[in-house]
Amino acid sequence: MTNKEVTITEVCPRDGFQSVSEWIPTEEKVRIINQLIDCGYKQIEVTSFVHPRAIPQLKDADEVLKRIKRSKDVKLRALVPNTRGLERAIAAGVDKVKLMLSASDSHSISNANCKTEEAFERFVPLVELAEKSGMKVGGSISVAFGCPYEGEIPVERLVMICEKYRSLGITEVSLADTTGMANPVRIKNNVRELRRRFPDFTFSLHLHNTRGMAFANAVAGWEEGIVHFDSSAGGLGGCPYAPGASGNIASEDLIHGFEEMGIHTGVSLNRVIEAAKDIQQSLPQYVDSFLLKAGKCSDLSASPKAQQKVQI
Amino acid sequence: MTNKEVTITEVCPRDGFQSVSEWIPTEEKVRIINQLIDCGYKQIEVTSFVHPRAIPQLKDADEVLKRIKRSKDVKLRALVPNTRGLERAIAAGVDKVKLMLSASDSHSISNANCKTEEAFERFVPLVELAEKSGMKVGGSISVAFGCPYEGEIPVERLVMICEKYRSLGITEVSLADTTGMANPVRIKNNVRELRRRFPDFTFSLHLHNTRGMAFANAVAGWEEGIVHFDSSAGGLGGCPYAPGASGNIASEDLIHGFEEMGIHTGVSLNRVIEAAKDIQQSLPQYVDSFLLKAGKCSDLSASPKAQQKVQI
């Protein structure tokens, strides 16, 4: 309940970039990732090794990984949907791969063309190969707090999925509120139950601000002992079901909020703001960030002259 | 800690309208207020009886009050800065008036041209007149959780202000995060201390979403026993210090969030959404609302066909 340190994984280069329809040139991706590497994150989700037809934006993943700078302080994580993706991730020398499946069958069918349990079967050879290669594997659960097709996800469904992950030897699991359907009560109830049932797991929260509750959900998770969070610089990464709606919580907003609460992230907020501003220069229509509009709480204004203005 | 009911005061007609630079015709104001009256709010802040030069947008306050419909279920509150304003409020037949002052001297000088303690002295004749007329009086504290000129406000300063309010017989106090500088830890600490020191007071929270924390702050306040909240339909009402930044938390976002948490507001979310959409028609550039972009959590999408799309 009283953790005063949290860890933020920066996901802009994966979750953010994949939502951008215009091609982002490889050198631009490399430049942004290098800037993010300098921010002090312990982990960055750098790309997704998916088939180029599935996400054309990330087709240069191998090239990007060759060209970015490496730092021993920053773990690089990549999403892999299958064994071919894992092979590419191994060749690219990432530190960790993440598997992804959906809490609901309907979202799973939409994303992976198969039901949730079938998705696990496809993971078996992948996990075997990862073990042989010494590659760390984490898992994630999309739409964990609500599915846009089915609504609320029963916690027992999350428990079943975590059991499946455990059977594959995976105990690091990201709970993703993919379309921003969580609320603080649901976060607390589900996180408490999952942490009780899986005390050996490391859970993280991947929150979207679709309905304005992302930061409240982060705080709710933190109050239940979660210390790992994903976020995206500039708030890049939208909601696929409501064009124009907010998506990923912006890293600068999450870091600023935590730091204001006295919870340390180890990330340089000023550098993240600079990186987000840089992203805003290239991709203004994709940026969605409170901090870039309002500035930090500590950015005080000059003391004013008396004015005839009423504000409350 | 476990209140399952909260009360929302709708402040769009006051805090929202006053931030709109184009003239909103009187009949338009009346139409919007009448729509809001039908939403099920127990209280609406309908206007501010200020000098027309101070806020030209609200110069038709008396006329608006004459023309809106009245409902015994909806209390009408108005802001009054001085005795002249109170006289107008009495003549207009509102149910309650609200006084406003700033937690910091610099914000007080900016808004009211005098220091905080001097503002109290000006209230004395006003409160005497209100007593004589049987008019209920509430107070508010602007920039209660942070001043854009001075930064954090020591809780002792809030205690001093509440003592002054008590000396005037005012025990209903709105704590306003005027420029969105609060965070959940500060809300909890200050609310806990104020409720401990002033157990006879009714505190409410007036939250702005300037840095994305408004809903988290509402939840923090609720967890500390606050059951009264202000919000503005369509999120009307900006941040005067950062043009374009978010301001008041949108009523539809606050109500939706609470209802999703199982906390009842007694307000019809659907009607508020309709009212907000209507406001969006007239004043699109002022609306700032998650719900209007993303819809409710319960607005499920049709189950999709399998797609080659990756989301997490």
Side-chain angles (χ1 to χ4, degrees), chain A residues 43-154:
Chain A
Q43 186 164 268
I44 298 179
E45 193 165 282
V46 276
T47 195
S48 184
F49 288 101
V50 291
H51 196 284
R53 271 204 311 274
I55 306 180
Q57 181 64 265
L58 301 181
K59 67 182 179 190
D60 58 352
D62 317 80
E63 186 64 19
V64 166
L65 265 288
K66 268 189 206 133
R67 289 165 58 178
I68 57 172
K69 65 181 172 189
R70 298 297 178 101
S71 158
K72 63 176 175 38
D73 302 323
V74 190
K75 301 279 179 226
L76 302 180
R77 180 171 81 185
L79 210 70
V80 295
N82 50 35
T83 307
R84 175 72 193 113
L86 174 60
E87 287 165 354
R88 290 170 64 195
I90 293 168
V94 301
D95 299 289
K96 191 192 287 182
V97 294
K98 188 170 88 172
L99 307 179
M100 189 176 73
L101 49 70
S102 301
S104 71
D105 281 332
S106 55
H107 193 265
S108 184
I109 289 166
S110 161
N111 259 10
N113 229 337
C114 66
K115 291 187 173 183
T116 305
E117 298 203 41
E118 290 160 3
F120 270 110
E121 285 161 35
R122 297 188 191 174
F123 286 163
V124 174
L126 193 159
V127 171
E128 281 171 7
L129 173 57
E131 253 172 43
K132 267 188 228 154
S133 335
M135 175 65 78
K136 286 185 189 165
V137 184
S140 73
I141 307 177
S142 295
V143 301
F145 300 99
C147 164
Y149 313 123
E150 298 185 18
E152 188 172 349
I153 302 294

Side-chain angles (χ1 to χ4, degrees), chain A residues 64-280:
Chain A
V64 166
L65 265 288
K66 268 189 206 133
R67 289 165 58 178
I68 57 172
K69 65 181 172 189
R70 298 297 178 101
S71 158
K72 63 176 175 38
D73 302 323
V74 190
K75 301 279 179 226
L76 302 180
R77 180 171 81 185
L79 210 70
V80 295
N82 50 35
T83 307
R84 175 72 193 113
L86 174 60
E87 287 165 354
R88 290 170 64 195
I90 293 168
V94 301
D95 299 289
K96 191 192 287 182
V97 294
K98 188 170 88 172
L99 307 179
M100 189 176 73
L101 49 70
S102 301
S104 71
D105 281 332
S106 55
H107 193 265
S108 184
I109 289 166
S110 161
N111 259 10
N113 229 337
C114 66
K115 291 187 173 183
T116 305
E117 298 203 41
E118 290 160 3
F120 270 110
E121 285 161 35
R122 297 188 191 174
F123 286 163
V124 174
L126 193 159
V127 171
E128 281 171 7
L129 173 57
E131 253 172 43
K132 267 188 228 154
S133 335
M135 175 65 78
K136 286 185 189 165
V137 184
S140 73
I141 307 177
S142 295
V143 301
F145 300 99
C147 164
Y149 313 123
E150 298 185 18
E152 188 172 349
I153 302 294
V155 70
E156 282 310 317
R157 178 96 183 157
L158 303 179
V159 168
M160 179 277 285
I161 293 171
C162 288
E163 278 167 355
K164 292 262 183 198
Y165 268 133
R166 180 187 270 155
S167 73
L168 291 174
I170 294 169
T171 57
E172 193 177 304
V173 172
S174 167
L175 304 168
D177 186 28
T178 312
T179 65
M181 292 177 68
N183 66 68
V185 166
R186 194 177 298 170
I187 292 272
K188 284 194 181 188
N189 290 344
N190 287 3
V191 165
R192 191 179 307 142
E193 180 66 6
L194 289 174
R195 280 172 49 92
R196 190 181 69 78
R197 300 274 283 265
F198 302 91
D200 53 324
F201 274 41
T202 301
F203 289 105
S204 63
L205 286 177
H206 175 107
L207 300 168
H208 283 224
N209 201 29
T210 322
R211 289 161 181 100
M213 291 191 265
F215 190 68
N217 291 332
V219 172
W222 171 76
E223 287 177 340
E224 285 296 328
I226 297 283
V227 293
H228 297 279
F229 297 87
D230 287 355
S231 61
S232 176
L236 239 64
C239 173
Y241 302 93
S246 292
N248 285 284
I249 187 167
S251 298
E252 57 274 25
D253 295 340
L254 184 65
I255 293 164
H256 174 264
F258 274 140
E259 297 284 348
E260 285 289 311
M261 291 169 70
I263 302 164
H264 303 297
T265 62
V267 181
S268 162
L269 176 57
N270 286 337
R271 287 189 187 181
V272 175
I273 291 172
E274 285 314 305
K277 281 183 182 166
D278 203 65
I279 294 166
Q280 194 173 36

